[in-house]
Amino acid sequence: MPLYTNSYTRKAIILQWVTKTFFHQIYGDNLLFANGQEAIDLRKSLHILFTKQSTMMREVLINKYADETVNSMISGSAVAVYQHFKMTMMQLCLALFLDVESEHSSLLVEQLIHLTTVHWHGIISVPLCFRVPFLAASSYSKALKAKEELLQIIAEELSTSNGSFHTQLLQQLGYRETVQHLLLFISALVPKALASILTSFVCSSHLWGHLPLMKNGELDSASLECILLEVLRMWPPFIGGRRIATEACELGGFHIPKNYSVIYLAEAAHRDPDAFANPDQFDPSRWRS
């Protein structure tokens, strides 16, 4: 089969190159790049921190940021929805994972948001690390410098703060792995994904706004879950991911040798007519069955 069969194939090839070339250098050792038993062990350790019970322990903090976001959006003035959600999610991630909040450490929050933004820009830049006297450094070079500053701040917070999340993380992982995963959790990657989901949810309200509300004016939890699942299906926040073939196999007419990376594309999978009837139609009811 030809190397470039369609746009999805081109995206897969590009994504694989990006992952191998410099994602790892930007984010370091964490679950994103673990394979085999190492990945299984990490997932088990991290799963404990994201169970329903663990999430409920942080419900007050989550509700606080949710209420502030909603109240600021119904003020009557125009709001850039994605930017608004992204800023809120950045602040929430810092509060949840690093125990740093604006009301107590506003300057540190501003610094962290700036650094995580610079760090993220390294991912969407050409991976060239250079500095020329009297000229600006490359975005990739700036991202690596921001990464080092972020790691230093994380280490300082771990030594001075008793935040519940990173204390639990230390109990599950070693110190080095905790630092590396906190870099991932507070990075701009997570807030951008959450902001993308929330923006798609709001902007698709004309597709689900007709659904009946409860007496308190809210959607029931089952309907809300179905809407969010359909939002994730139609507009996934990530292009896809990577898996390692544990055995040689045939997939989609291609021979995949053992230990080769296989890139999957969420958009293509979510619009597969063999998996979803009327895949281009927004239909939350499909998740009730």
Side-chain angles (χ1 to χ4, degrees), residues 98-109:
L98 208 57
D99 197 33
V100 175
E101 292 195 67
S102 294
E103 59 189 78
H104 305 300
S105 310
S106 59
L107 292 179
L108 179 57
V109 168

Side-chain angles (χ1 to χ4, degrees), residues 219-246:
L219 285 165
D220 65 272
S221 58
S223 295
L224 179 59
E225 182 176 1
C226 289
I227 292 170
L228 289 172
L229 285 171
E230 188 68 347
V231 165
L232 284 169
R233 184 189 72 83
M234 294 202 70
W235 305 289
F238 295 114
I239 188 173
R242 179 181 68 107
R243 293 291 185 270
I244 303 297
T246 57

Side-chain angles (χ1 to χ4, degrees), residues 15 27 42 54 62 106 112 117 124 161 177 201 205 250 259:
L15 182 58
Y27 278 107
L42 276 173
S54 298
I62 294 172
S106 59
L112 284 166
T117 300
I124 55 178
S161 171
E177 288 180 324
F201 172 73
S205 59
E250 187 90 0
N259 295 325

Side-chain angles (χ1 to χ4, degrees), residues 4-66:
Y4 297 105
T5 57
N6 53 44
S7 61
Y8 287 136
T9 303
R10 290 194 293 274
K11 288 181 181 178
I13 293 170
I14 292 170
L15 182 58
Q16 184 173 21
W17 176 81
V18 168
T19 301
K20 285 186 174 182
T21 304
F22 63 107
F23 262 26
H24 181 268
Q25 192 171 1
I26 290 288
Y27 278 107
D29 294 321
N30 58 52
L31 184 62
L32 289 179
F33 308 102
N35 296 308
Q37 191 60 45
E38 179 190 8
I40 294 173
D41 292 341
L42 276 173
R43 287 181 184 278
K44 287 181 179 179
S45 297
L46 292 171
H47 177 73
I48 298 172
L49 300 175
F50 293 97
T51 60
K52 184 176 181 180
Q53 182 179 2
S54 298
T55 303
M56 288 177 64
M57 293 171 58
R58 302 176 180 91
E59 189 173 352
V60 173
L61 183 63
I62 294 172
N63 286 339
K64 170 191 168 184
Y65 280 89

